[in-house]
């Protein structure tokens, strides 16, 4: 009937490649450099927000529907629609897609062709993305069967040789393990993978349906298997890159950008050919992610407009906007992205956690809404504080809020709000 094992691998590798984009490649070495001797704790922190949380997002969507918008039936349709728009803008043309092109240009093109024009490259990159995204039905097979092997092979060569040669590096930075864990935890926000997970899950579920898995239970199992395969692959790659960063022999105090660090590591390990290897890795990683995100944006535009914006039109508009913004440098994109992510990431994280933990027992939408609103308020305060807006109020607020020093001030209040919501609902029934 169908080769289930091969389908699981194809979907798993496709999901891995969709997750593994620009940020996923340039962030881990930088984390390792800063964590130094506590690189193992940094891996655990990055695993929490960069691997485990996205996997939980996939499980959540597979458990409660076929796409993120289906959560509106459990929570609130209008709220989920607003969250959907914010998520799609973040993982789409505002942040994630432009960053794929910008990273490819800085690491994959400039070292080899320094005089190459950024605007011309953006045009070529997004013309390729557009060509490979137009056929919605073939995207998963293109990514899972063809592009991912190039990505994993090039990264595998770099990591294995780097680990073998690790004794040449020095652990310059010595960090307490908790600080290293929190560094990895917070940097995991920049992967955008929790946001992407709730969208990518829908793509994988739809692909499973197209491959003949129509029954909900069968569909759920295939999706979870794909998520597990991608999680293992991500852990191996992330762990290797963090390790390479910690043993890079570069002082953590040096001013070095994320892209420069990755180039330096690849050159130290593979010599002049290292630039070519990392160029292949970057091109594969960023192209696969850009294709997946562009396709998701095209489908989203079609769904939310009730077919008025055709898939092909949504994909084309996404490529044009992303191409314009991709001319910014990677560090410039990361700089403005952190403000947006500091607000939206905790909200989606809380939604996933509360649904996974309480979704089968607490059926009323009120506790979920209350937890989300409280998280949104605290996240807004965090954003205001980072920009020194109303500094007296925000400083005092953060001072009394548990875990706010680690940008986790939303964690405890969100669950307290959820518990309060349950209590209020129970009192109404009395």
């Amino acid at each position: 009937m169908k080769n289930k094992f091969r389908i699981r691998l194809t979907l798993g590798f496709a999901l891995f490649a969709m997750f593994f984009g620009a940020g996923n490649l340039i962030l881990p070495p930088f984390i390792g450099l800063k964590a130094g001797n506590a690189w193992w704790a940094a891996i655990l922190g990055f695993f929490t927000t960069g691997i485990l949380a996205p996997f939980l997002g996939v499980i959540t969507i597979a458990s409660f529907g076929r796409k993120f918008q289906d959560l509106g039936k459990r929570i609130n349709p209008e709220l989920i629609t607003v969250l959907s728009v914010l998520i799609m803008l973040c993982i789409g043309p505002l942040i994630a897609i432009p960053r794929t092109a910008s990273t490819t240009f800085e690491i994959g093109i400039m070292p080899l062709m320094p005089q190459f024009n950024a605007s011309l490259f953006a045009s070529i990159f997004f013309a390729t993305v557009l060509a490979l995204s137009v056929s919605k039905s073939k995207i998963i097979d293109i990514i899972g069967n063809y592009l991912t092997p190039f990505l994993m092979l090039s990264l595998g060569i770099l990591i294995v040789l780097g680990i073998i040669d690790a004794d040449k590096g020095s652990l310059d930075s010595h960090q307490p393990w908790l600080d290293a864990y929190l560094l990895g935890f917070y940097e995991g926000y920049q992967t955008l993978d929790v946001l992407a997970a709730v969208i990518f899950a829908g793509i994988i579920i739809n692909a499973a349906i197209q491959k003949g898995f129509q029954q909900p239970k069968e569909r759920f199992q295939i999706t979870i298997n794909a998520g597990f395969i991608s999680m293992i692959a991500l852990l191996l790659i992330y762990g290797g890159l963090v390790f390479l960063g910690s043993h890079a022999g570069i002082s953590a105090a040096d001013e070095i950008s994320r892209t420069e660090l990755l180039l330096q590591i690849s050159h130290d390990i593979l010599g002049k050919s290292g630039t070519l290897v990392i160029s292949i890795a970057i091109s594969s990683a960023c192209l696969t992610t850009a294709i997946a995100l562009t396709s998701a944006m095209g489908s989203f535009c079609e769904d939310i407009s009730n077919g008025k914006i055709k898939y092909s039109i949504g994909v084309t508009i996404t490529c044009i906007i992303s191409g314009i913004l991709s001319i910014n440098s990677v560090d410039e994109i990361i700089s403005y992205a952190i403000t947006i992510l500091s607000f939206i990431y905790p909200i989606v994280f809380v939604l996933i956690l509360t649904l996974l933990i309480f979704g089968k027992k607490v059926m009323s939408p009120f506790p979920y809404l209350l937890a989300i609103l409280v998280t949104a308020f605290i996240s807004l305060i965090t954003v205001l504080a980072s920009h020194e807006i109303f500094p007296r109020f925000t400083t005092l607020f953060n001072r009394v809020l548990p875990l706010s020093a680690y940008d986790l001030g939303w964690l405890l209040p969100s669950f307290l709000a959820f518990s309060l919501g349950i209590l209020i609902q129970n009192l109404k029934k009395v």
Side-chain angles (χ1 to χ4, degrees):
M1 175 175 136
K2 45 187 172 264
N3 189 331
K4 288 188 177 182
F5 178 72
R6 178 165 183 177
I7 291 173
R8 287 188 181 98
L9 281 181
T10 297
L11 296 182
F13 284 152
L15 188 57
F16 159 78
M18 284 188 250
F19 279 138
F20 200 86
N24 310 66
L25 189 52
I26 62 175
L27 291 171
F30 189 77
I31 293 169
L33 177 67
K34 296 299 182 183
N37 66 314
W39 57 267
W40 56 271
I43 291 175
L44 290 177
F46 200 67
F47 172 83
T48 305
T49 50
I51 303 177
L52 180 60
F55 181 59
L56 296 179
V58 172
I59 294 176
T60 301
I61 302 305
S63 299
F64 294 96
R66 290 169 51 175
K67 56 186 178 180
F68 181 67
Q69 288 89 329
D70 291 341
L71 298 185
K73 301 170 186 175
R74 287 295 314 275
I75 310 298
N76 179 279
E78 289 77 17
L79 174 63
I80 296 301
T81 298
V82 171
L83 278 179
S84 297
V85 172
L86 291 174
I87 289 170
M88 290 308 302
L89 289 175
C90 287
I91 69 171
L94 291 187
I95 301 173
I97 299 178
R99 196 171 66 181
T100 61
S102 183
T103 302
T104 305
F105 181 69
E106 288 186 22
I107 297 181
I109 302 299
M110 284 194 67
L112 300 173
M113 294 176 282
Q115 304 303 318
F116 204 92
N117 183 271
S119 299
L120 177 59
F121 171 76
S123 301
I124 296 171
F125 184 89
F126 284 105
T128 305
V129 171
L130 181 60
L132 294 176
S133 301
V134 167
S135 179
K136 190 167 25 174
S137 61
K138 295 181 180 179
I139 286 172
I140 294 300
D141 289 333
I142 290 171
I143 293 174
N145 291 330
Y146 301 108
L147 295 178
T148 304
F150 285 104
L151 168 61
M152 298 191 74
L153 179 62
S154 53
L155 286 176
I157 292 171
L158 180 68
I159 290 170
V160 170
L161 293 180
I163 291 174
I164 292 172
D165 201 35
D167 59 331
K168 289 185 179 180
S170 61
L171 295 172
D172 173 77
S173 177
H174 296 271
Q175 297 285 346
W177 72 266
L178 181 58
D179 288 350
Y181 175 86
L182 291 170
L183 169 68
F185 185 98
Y186 188 61
E187 285 288 317
Y189 281 12
Q190 280 286 355
T191 66
L192 285 83
D193 282 349
V194 164
L195 307 185
V198 296
I199 305 300
F200 288 164
I203 297 176
I204 296 298
I205 291 169
N206 186 59
I209 293 171
Q210 290 180 352
K211 292 181 181 296
F213 298 95
Q214 301 289 339
Q215 298 302 316
K217 184 177 180 181
E218 193 178 37
R219 193 171 67 224
F220 176 82
Q221 289 176 340
I222 288 292
T223 304
I224 298 308
N225 288 338
F228 189 74
I229 290 170
S230 71
M231 186 169 68
I232 296 300
L234 287 169
L235 178 59
L236 291 174
I237 298 296
Y238 287 157
L241 291 172
V242 170
F243 181 84
L244 294 185
S246 67
H247 289 75
I250 300 171
S251 172
D254 290 345
E255 290 293 329
I256 185 169
S257 72
R258 293 166 175 83
T259 53
E260 289 171 343
L261 174 62
L262 186 59
L263 282 170
Q264 182 66 51
I265 290 172
S266 63
H267 184 272
D268 289 345
I269 294 171
L270 298 173
K272 292 182 179 179
S273 61
T275 303
L276 180 60
V277 170
I278 208 65
S279 295
I280 295 172
I282 278 287
S283 299
S284 300
C286 293
L287 187 60
T288 52
T289 300
I291 292 168
L293 292 175
T294 301
S295 172
M297 193 68 194
S299 297
F300 179 77
C301 290
E302 191 171 50
D303 289 344
I304 203 169
S305 67
N306 294 320
K308 293 179 182 177
I309 302 176
K310 299 298 182 184
Y311 172 81
S312 58
I313 300 299
V315 164
T316 303
I317 294 172
T318 299
C319 286
I320 292 171
I321 297 173
S322 299
I324 294 170
L325 291 178
S326 71
I327 299 174
N328 291 310
S329 71
V330 172
D331 285 342
E332 285 173 338
I333 295 174
I334 288 176
S335 179
Y336 76 71
I338 194 61
T339 298
I340 304 171
L341 297 178
S342 295
F343 177 74
I344 189 66
Y345 213 98
I347 296 172
V348 177
F349 207 170
V350 165
L351 175 61
I352 289 170
L353 289 177
T354 51
L355 274 174
L356 275 181
I357 298 171
F358 307 107
K360 300 296 184 182
K361 296 181 180 179
V362 180
M363 306 307 294
S364 170
F366 181 70
Y368 301 98
L369 285 170
L370 192 59
I372 289 170
L373 289 174
V374 168
T375 304
F377 175 74
I378 294 173
S379 297
L380 179 60
I381 297 299
T382 302
V383 170
L384 294 176
S386 67
H387 290 278
E388 298 184 351
I389 300 173
F390 307 123
R392 272 187 163 182
F393 169 71
T394 55
T395 301
L396 180 62
F397 187 87
N398 285 328
R399 190 177 298 162
V400 300
L401 203 62
L403 302 177
S404 63
Y406 304 106
D407 293 301
L408 295 172
W410 50 270
L411 188 60
L412 294 180
S414 65
F415 281 93
L416 287 175
F418 189 89
S419 302
L420 179 61
I422 295 175
L423 179 62
I424 292 173
Q425 285 294 111
N426 291 337
L427 289 174
K428 285 183 177 180
K429 294 178 183 178
V430 176

